[in-house]
Amino acid sequence: VKPKKWLPDLEGKMDVVIDSLCVDGYESSYRALTPDGILVCNTSNHSALQLQHQNDHGVNAWWSSVKAKYVWNRAIFYDLNESYEENPKMFG
């Protein structure tokens, strides 16, 4: 989980990264991508609340989701809770 341990070996080498923890605002996961790689930011309200608690406010969680949704062109943002609310039948 600690990017300082794995990022030096994987920076720029991953075709796909799925990040559901958002440990550092998806920064290390994005840096691990190849130039054509895709980052999938898989989150839910639970992980956003956990990040919000760690930072004592929601600004970092908000900015992380904005980057993944609108700034980074190689990122896909997927919110599990939002998906369930929109289409609960998809989850069986």
Side-chain angles (χ1 to χ4, degrees):
V1 175
K2 296 179 183 180
K4 289 181 182 180
K5 288 187 175 185
W6 59 264
L7 187 58
D9 295 326
L10 296 176
E11 189 164 7
K13 297 180 180 177
M14 302 298 295
D15 292 322
V16 176
V17 176
I18 300 172
D19 186 337
S20 59
L21 297 177
C22 189
V23 171
D24 59 357
Y26 305 117
E27 292 286 338
S28 57
S29 296
Y30 197 76
R31 288 177 47 198
L33 295 175
T34 61
D36 296 325
I38 298 292
L39 170 62
V40 178
C41 305
N42 179 9
T43 189
S44 65
N45 290 338
H46 171 72
S47 53
L49 288 173
Q50 185 178 21
L51 182 64
Q52 185 176 12
H53 180 313
Q54 290 172 355
N55 294 314
D56 294 327
H57 54 74
V59 174
N60 287 342
W62 171 81
W63 177 239
S64 297
S65 65
V66 167
K67 286 187 298 186
K69 289 178 182 178
Y70 308 111
V71 177
W72 289 337
N73 62 346
R74 295 180 293 136
I76 299 167
F77 188 81
Y78 178 75
D79 187 315
L80 185 62
N81 290 333
E82 183 179 299
S83 181
Y84 178 78
E85 288 174 8
E86 290 177 5
N87 188 4
K89 290 182 181 180
M90 180 172 65
F91 292 86

